[in-house]
Amino acid sequence: MTEETPGFDEKPDVPSGATPDDAESQAATPSTEEAAAPAGDASAAQTAGLTAQLDQVRTALGERTMDLQRLQAEYQNYRRRVERDRIAVKEIAIANLLTELLPVLDNIARARDHGELVGGFKSVAESLETVAAKMGLQQFGKEGEPFDPMIHEALMHSYAPDVTETTCVAILQPGYRIGERTIRPARVAVAEPQPGAQTVKADEAEAADDKESGGPDEG
């Protein structure tokens, strides 16, 4: 039976040439693999956290970019709508003003037809007509043009043998437009072809053709 000597603890084997302090230091220092494992896990966890944060930032950036694009599109639509409304209001205001001036222009035209447009009145009248033209007022309506119910208003009706369609034969009051917008139709007298005139003309044309070809074939 081996007796243990009291007061002495067992110590690890110490290689030859090494001091006891070296042995204790070696026992207290962990191995390289044991130290590298926790460091690698911490680095991977940190990388995963940064990646998640980057994904969140990218998502937020995409959402803000879409919001900005939508806001910009709405602003552009708003600008176009405001500009369109501004132009429409301007055109309506000009049309209303020129509509009120039409009776004055009619009086000027009648005075000119009667040779009464002379002196200072002539200068004022011509200046007024020039200003109206600069504001876009255009006069239309001529004798001999086909009747168009979209721009003409027929006040008188008759028949004429020398027309082939409903025709404006007299302009009682000229029409006016601003651009494509008619502010007053031309008031006209119209004439339609004489009833039966087309049949007579067709018969005359057929007879002329027969005469030129030597007449109808004889049986």
Side-chain angles (χ1 to χ4, degrees), residues 40-58:
D41 294 341
S43 177
Q46 185 178 7
T47 302
L50 293 176
T51 302
Q53 292 180 1
L54 181 60
D55 292 340
Q56 293 178 357
V57 171
R58 287 176 176 173

Side-chain angles (χ1 to χ4, degrees), residues 174-219:
Y176 289 95
R177 66 165 63 97
I178 300 176
E180 300 297 327
R181 179 178 181 179
T182 301
I183 62 175
R184 190 181 76 180
R187 291 163 181 169
V188 300
V190 299
E192 291 183 339
Q194 191 74 30
Q198 295 296 328
T199 304
V200 173
K201 289 184 178 181
D203 293 341
E204 291 177 353
E206 184 178 356
D209 292 341
D210 293 339
K211 185 176 181 180
E212 291 179 358
S213 61
D217 296 337
E218 295 181 357

Side-chain angles (χ1 to χ4, degrees), residues 23-48:
E24 292 178 359
S25 176
Q26 183 178 3
T29 303
S31 62
T32 303
E33 291 78 2
E34 292 176 352
D41 294 341
S43 177
Q46 185 178 7
T47 302

Side-chain angles (χ1 to χ4, degrees), residues 155-166:
L155 300 183
M156 299 179 64
H157 176 270
S158 63
Y159 293 97
D162 57 342
V163 298
T164 58
E165 59 181 342
T166 304

Side-chain angles (χ1 to χ4, degrees), residues 14-96:
V14 179
S16 59
T19 64
D21 293 338
D22 294 337
E24 292 178 359
S25 176
Q26 183 178 3
T29 303
S31 62
T32 303
E33 291 78 2
E34 292 176 352
D41 294 341
S43 177
Q46 185 178 7
T47 302
L50 293 176
T51 302
Q53 292 180 1
L54 181 60
D55 292 340
Q56 293 178 357
V57 171
R58 287 176 176 173
T59 302
L61 178 61
E63 293 176 353
R64 298 295 85 77
T65 302
M66 293 179 61
D67 292 341
L68 180 60
Q69 292 174 347
R70 182 167 56 252
L71 182 62
Q72 185 176 11
E74 292 177 355
Y75 177 68
Q76 293 297 333
N77 292 335
Y78 168 76
R79 287 188 58 186
R80 284 192 291 266
R81 184 168 60 252
V82 169
E83 181 66 17
R84 184 171 59 249
D85 293 344
R86 185 187 66 81
I87 294 175
V89 170
K90 180 180 178 181
E91 291 178 350
I92 292 174
I94 293 176
N96 291 337

Side-chain angles (χ1 to χ4, degrees), residues 94-179:
I94 293 176
N96 291 337
L97 173 62
L98 293 178
T99 300
E100 296 296 327
L101 289 178
L102 293 185
V104 180
L105 297 177
D106 292 336
N107 292 332
I108 292 174
R110 282 191 289 268
R112 182 179 288 110
D113 293 339
H114 290 83
E116 299 175 356
L117 200 63
V118 294
F121 178 55
K122 178 181 180 181
S123 177
V124 172
E126 291 177 349
S127 297
L128 180 60
E129 290 175 335
T130 301
V131 171
K134 287 182 178 179
M135 297 179 70
L137 185 66
Q138 299 175 355
Q139 180 178 315
F140 66 90
K142 296 181 180 180
E143 294 182 6
E145 63 185 9
F147 175 75
D148 184 354
M150 299 298 295
I151 60 174
H152 297 135
E153 180 182 354
L155 300 183
M156 299 179 64
H157 176 270
S158 63
Y159 293 97
D162 57 342
V163 298
T164 58
E165 59 181 342
T166 304
T167 305
C168 300
V169 294
I171 306 300
L172 307 179
Q173 202 172 47
Y176 289 95
R177 66 165 63 97
I178 300 176

